[in-house]
Amino acid sequence: MKLIQLFLPVYDRHGQPFPRAFFDQARSELTERFGGVTAFLRSPAVGAWQEPGGAVCRDDVYLYEVLADALDRVWWQAYRARLERQFSQDVILVRVSDTEVL
């Protein structure tokens, strides 16, 4: 089984929150496709990374998780690209790991 995690930015580049509808749409789409989703929305996670020039960037993100029997890499690449356009992001982090449900 695969655990797939999406990290969606809370704010745009100008510090304005993205519309709630963006997050509701992602939740609905993932629930429809995978039969459920867990969305961590109450306390955004804080991400930080260093740019090539040395500047440290920060981002507040909501974490969405789904479980799938297998990884449909083509679907996830297309979905991530659509989210990147919708959220005006260079990259939206999507990661996958093997998991076992007890």
Side-chain angles (χ1 to χ4, degrees):
M1 183 158 281
K2 304 293 184 185
L3 172 66
I4 301 131
Q5 298 175 306
L6 293 91
F7 295 78
L8 298 179
V10 177
Y11 304 104
D12 68 17
R13 294 180 181 164
H14 306 290
Q16 297 301 310
F18 284 107
R20 185 73 183 175
F22 283 15
F23 304 103
D24 293 344
Q25 179 182 2
R27 187 183 68 240
S28 294
E29 290 169 344
L30 294 169
T31 298
E32 183 177 321
R33 178 153 181 105
F34 297 98
V37 62
T38 301
F40 298 90
L41 307 175
R42 294 198 186 262
S43 297
V46 177
W49 66 95
Q50 192 167 16
E51 296 271 325
V56 175
C57 298
R58 177 182 177 272
D59 206 1
D60 290 346
V61 295
Y62 291 142
L63 175 63
Y64 283 60
E65 295 182 339
V66 297
L67 291 172
D69 292 327
L71 179 65
D72 184 343
R73 192 171 298 274
V74 171
W75 185 87
W76 279 105
Q77 289 170 339
Y79 188 64
R80 184 185 77 194
R82 187 174 67 73
L83 290 173
E84 288 169 346
R85 287 189 304 276
Q86 180 178 12
F87 285 89
S88 300
Q89 299 292 300
D90 294 332
V91 176
I92 285 187
L93 177 62
V94 177
R95 67 181 179 190
V96 62
S97 58
D98 290 317
T99 191
E100 181 180 354
V101 177
L102 301 176

